[in-house]
Amino acid sequence: MRWIGGRQSSNVDDRRGVSAGGLAIGGGVIGAIVLILRLILGGGGGEEGSLPIQLPGQTQEMSPEDKAADDKRAEFVSVVLGYTEDVWHQLFSKYGDQYVEPKLVLFRGNVQSACGMASSASGPFYCPGDQQVFIDLSFYQELGQRFKAPGDFAMAYVIAHEVGHHIQKLSGTTDEVDRLRGQLSKEEFNKYSVMLELQADFLAGVWAHHAQRMMNILEEGDIEEALNAANAIGDDNLQKQAQGYIVPESFTHGTSQQRIYWFKKGFQSGDMRQGDTFKDPSLR
Ligand SMILES: [Zn+2]
């Protein structure tokens, strides 16, 4: 992906060096395990001293090389967010609407959001309550190593997917689906959750289509990187290798095949009106 030197968004809130308070624990799988241990043991209080085990790497400072790499990834995220702003401003104004830009919070380990306390184990997410995207940059590496979906455009797809959730919030779709939460059985509601997720994939594809047209960002193999990521983080594949790794709502994102289908549909058409996953009979 061509991004170096691109405009960085001014909507990035860099909280990588900030502790989220009582839950300053290691990220990733370890963080999740500790979180679970805490719930089981009912430690409460959240004092660091009450932990029964020593966390590997908990107090380790980043090496200068790691820090430089981390900063590079932060810059990348900021440029991609800027590209989403450019595209969505143009598409919204085409339909006579005004795009309201989301904020993007970079964090490390864990973070407080209007959706509650989250750790990096939950992966990148969008919180409709504060209209913010949350990303722990360690996911970038995880995408390449754990999910075998390396490449900058794989990460760009993930960011575009989260911004897709913001579009759904702006369009009222998120609230509509949310209203169904209490009215439907868990099983029925999961279907709507899948439709919401697949539409976010579609919107990521629409973004890629227009970002390419406007800014010529794509290099050879980029779309394959995105499709590979969509494939890797589909529910069926996640389930297969989930062992101990927690992804909230991991059973509500759609299969790998579905995710690829909707991203492609958005990328090929670039037409927002073709993304009504809620009317697709195969998803009902
Ligand atoms: Zn999502």
Side-chain angles (χ1 to χ4, degrees):
M1 178 180 168
R2 278 183 280 272
W3 66 274
I4 291 173
R7 176 183 75 85
Q8 293 189 44
S9 168
S10 58
N11 286 306
V12 174
D13 178 2
D14 193 347
R15 291 191 217 155
R16 284 177 295 163
V18 181
S19 163
L23 267 166
I25 51 175
V29 176
I30 305 282
I33 292 167
V34 171
L35 206 58
I36 291 163
L37 273 178
R38 279 215 172 137
L39 291 172
I40 294 169
L41 301 173
E47 298 136 68
E48 293 308 296
S50 66
L51 279 174
I53 51 168
Q54 182 66 41
L55 298 173
Q58 186 185 7
T59 54
Q60 261 175 22
E61 290 284 318
M62 268 189 170
S63 71
E65 294 81 34
D66 285 351
K67 199 185 171 303
D70 207 58
D71 287 344
K72 188 95 183 155
R73 285 190 279 269
E75 195 184 322
F76 170 78
V77 168
S78 183
V79 170
V80 172
L81 185 65
Y83 287 161
T84 66
E85 290 161 359
D86 295 343
V87 166
W88 288 116
H89 272 300
Q90 196 178 88
L91 289 181
F92 269 58
S93 68
K94 190 175 147 193
Y95 292 103
D97 267 328
Q98 176 125 38
Y99 180 58
V100 181
E101 298 169 354
K103 290 257 182 287
L104 186 150
V105 177
L106 288 176
F107 70 101
R108 189 176 290 142
N110 49 77
V111 72
Q112 184 68 52
S113 78
C115 301
M117 182 70 93
S119 86
S120 46
S122 48
F125 67 99
Y126 173 75
C127 174
D130 47 26
Q131 304 201 6
Q132 293 182 333
V133 174
F134 292 84
I135 292 178
D136 183 319
L137 291 172
S138 64
F139 185 78
Y140 200 146
Q141 285 153 292
E142 220 161 351
L143 205 53
Q145 289 161 10
R146 182 184 298 270
F147 296 113
K148 306 279 180 272
D152 49 12
F153 204 70
M155 189 61 193
Y157 151 71
V158 169
I159 297 164
H161 171 98
E162 299 309 335
V163 172
H165 283 313
H166 178 63
I167 308 293
Q168 294 173 316
K169 172 65 184 172
L170 295 180
S171 68
T173 309
T174 309
D175 293 340
E176 260 176 68
V177 169
D178 220 38
R179 271 193 288 278
L180 295 171
R181 194 183 289 270
Q183 302 169 20
L184 300 172
S185 69
K186 200 168 184 296
E187 229 175 40
E188 269 302 304
F189 182 74
N190 270 356
K191 284 188 193 167
Y192 283 90
S193 197
V194 167
M195 293 173 200
L196 202 64
E197 289 303 327
L198 293 176
Q199 189 176 64
D201 284 333
F202 171 84
L203 292 169
V206 169
W207 166 75
H209 174 101
H210 291 281
Q212 173 61 7
R213 276 197 163 177
M214 290 163 62
M215 281 136 340
N216 191 29
I217 60 168
L218 294 176
E219 291 175 316
E220 181 90 28
D222 275 350
I223 290 303
E224 287 74 17
E225 282 176 12
L227 294 176
N228 187 32
N231 178 50
I233 57 183
D235 287 347
D236 43 354
N237 269 333
L238 279 181
Q239 269 177 334
K240 262 180 235 158
Q241 56 157 317
Q243 302 286 331
Y245 185 75
I246 297 168
V247 179
E249 302 172 352
S250 67
F251 307 110
T252 50
H253 283 69
T255 64
S256 297
Q257 207 190 359
Q258 288 170 326
R259 298 196 75 163
I260 287 175
Y261 171 82
W262 285 100
F263 176 83
K264 258 189 175 167
K265 193 174 184 189
F267 178 66
Q268 282 162 359
S269 70
D271 182 359
M272 275 180 85
R273 292 163 302 182
Q274 291 190 35
D276 196 348
T277 52
F278 297 88
K279 290 220 170 81
D280 188 298
S282 75
L283 300 175
R284 293 197 153 257

